[in-house]
Amino acid sequence: VESSFVHAQRVARLATADANGCPHVVPICFAFDGSRFFSVLDEKPKRVADRGLRRVRNIQENAKAAIVFDRYDEDWSRLGFVLVRGRAILLPPGEGRHDQAIESLRARYPQYGSMAIETRPVIELTPESVTSWGHLG
Amino acid sequence: VESSFVHAQRVARLATADANGCPHVVPICFAFDGSRFFSVLDEKPKRVADRGLRRVRNIQENAKAAIVFDRYDEDWSRLGFVLVRGRAILLPPGEGRHDQAIESLRARYPQYGSMAIETRPVIELTPESVTSWGHLG
């Protein structure tokens, strides 16, 4: 149930924290290979290099991360979420798992087809705990 | 622009972290009074008292928190988010700001009309920084 709920979501939210425990959260597109979650740094902010992105700095300082997958509905009996907590690392381009992640992301999101994401770092989150709440059906 | 984008969202995601910097993130319904954000602990888990909720324990250990307001669209030129970072506290029932928060939440969410949220603690987040990305129009 949790796995099919997660797969059905098009967007999730990734929370990280810096070395001082200051949290940060952004929406992400993601792929899930059945054991790990992948998200690519597709944004190209004009003034910020990859290493300057807060989520990247946070992961380098503190690997602990969380992703929430949720559904909102005005019928609150249909609300539900799955919270995955674990450890995140950055996969550089050229690594085997990086290339698989890019393939999975392109399979889920045709929008990535025209973007050179194969040259971009991937965030890989390995779950350590999964909790869920509400209605996931 | 940021303010009207935020008001238009029905759900946001609240990130907190414990004293060890371990992040946590959950979907929340919220109200915004123009300067602070409010969310009520409306869940009633069977086995967990309010103080046992992770977001509550985290805020008690570490006031730093973040909320992201975002819009997903398959047309990625329409993606956008507003990230608010600041400090969170718990408002107990009976406090003036608590009662105003409950009123604002009921005005935004008719679903709260039949729920005894006036007896529940409110999380108040005071922003210290706001960043935005993408298309907010």
Side-chain angles (χ1 to χ4, degrees):
Chain A
V1 175
E2 284 167 353
S3 179
S4 64
F5 180 84
V6 161
H7 273 292
Q9 306 308 313
R10 296 291 286 165
V11 61
R13 282 81 190 176
L14 169 70
T16 57
D18 68 14
N20 297 317
C22 188
H24 183 265
V25 54
V26 284
I28 57 165
C29 290
F30 67 95
F32 177 48
D33 73 1
S35 62
R36 284 180 271 220
F37 295 89
F38 301 96
S39 173
V40 66
L41 300 177
D42 55 346
E43 304 90 334
K44 294 167 194 70
K46 282 172 190 126
R47 294 160 308 173
V48 185
D50 290 348
R51 283 177 189 282
L53 280 176
R54 172 60 70 182
R55 82 197 76 167
V56 172
R57 292 213 308 278
N58 285 1
I59 289 169
Q60 286 168 336
E61 289 178 18
N62 172 8
K64 293 169 198 152
I67 306 181
V68 69
F69 306 87
D70 66 82
R71 175 179 57 207
Y72 184 75
D73 194 295
E74 294 299 340
D75 172 2
W76 284 5
S77 70
R78 297 196 69 244
L79 298 179
F81 70 79
V82 175
L83 170 64
V84 174
R85 283 176 284 182
R87 297 195 154 255
I89 59 169
L90 286 167
L91 302 177
E95 227 247 41
R97 290 216 303 281
H98 178 280
D99 295 351
Q100 283 187 306
I102 297 297
E103 206 175 309
S104 309
L105 286 162
R106 285 202 166 124
R108 261 173 73 82
Y109 300 97
Q111 295 93 332
Y112 279 136
S114 59
M115 297 169 68
I117 55 171
E118 65 280 0
T119 66
R120 312 278 299 158
V122 163
I123 295 173
E124 177 190 77
L125 184 131
T126 303
E128 293 178 340
S129 78
V130 177
T131 52
S132 61
W133 178 89
H135 181 71
L136 304 182
Chain B
V1 173
E2 283 167 353
S3 179
S4 64
F5 180 85
V6 162
H7 273 291
Q9 306 308 312
R10 295 291 285 166
V11 61
R13 282 82 191 176
L14 170 70
T16 57
D18 68 14
N20 297 318
C22 188
H24 183 266
V25 54
V26 285
I28 57 166
C29 290
F30 68 94
F32 177 48
D33 72 1
S35 61
R36 283 180 271 220
F37 295 89
F38 302 97
S39 173
V40 67
L41 300 176
D42 54 347
E43 305 90 333
K44 293 169 195 70
K46 283 171 190 127
R47 294 160 307 174
V48 185
D50 290 348
R51 283 177 189 281
L53 281 176
R54 171 60 68 182
R55 81 198 77 168
V56 172
R57 293 214 307 276
N58 285 359
I59 289 169
Q60 286 167 335
E61 288 178 17
N62 172 8
K64 293 168 197 153
I67 306 179
V68 69
F69 306 87
D70 67 81
R71 176 179 56 207
Y72 184 75
D73 195 294
E74 294 298 341
D75 172 2
W76 284 7
S77 69
R78 298 195 70 243
L79 298 178
F81 71 79
V82 174
L83 170 64
V84 173
R85 283 177 283 182
R87 297 196 154 256
I89 59 170
L90 287 167
L91 303 177
E95 227 247 40
R97 289 216 304 281
H98 177 280
D99 295 352
Q100 283 187 305
I102 297 299
E103 207 174 308
S104 308
L105 285 162
R106 286 203 165 123
R108 261 173 72 82
Y109 300 97
Q111 295 93 334
Y112 279 136
S114 58
M115 297 169 69
I117 56 170
E118 66 280 1
T119 67
R120 311 278 301 158
V122 164
I123 294 173
E124 176 189 77
L125 184 130
T126 303
E128 293 178 340
S129 79
V130 178
T131 51
S132 60
W133 178 89
H135 182 69
L136 304 182

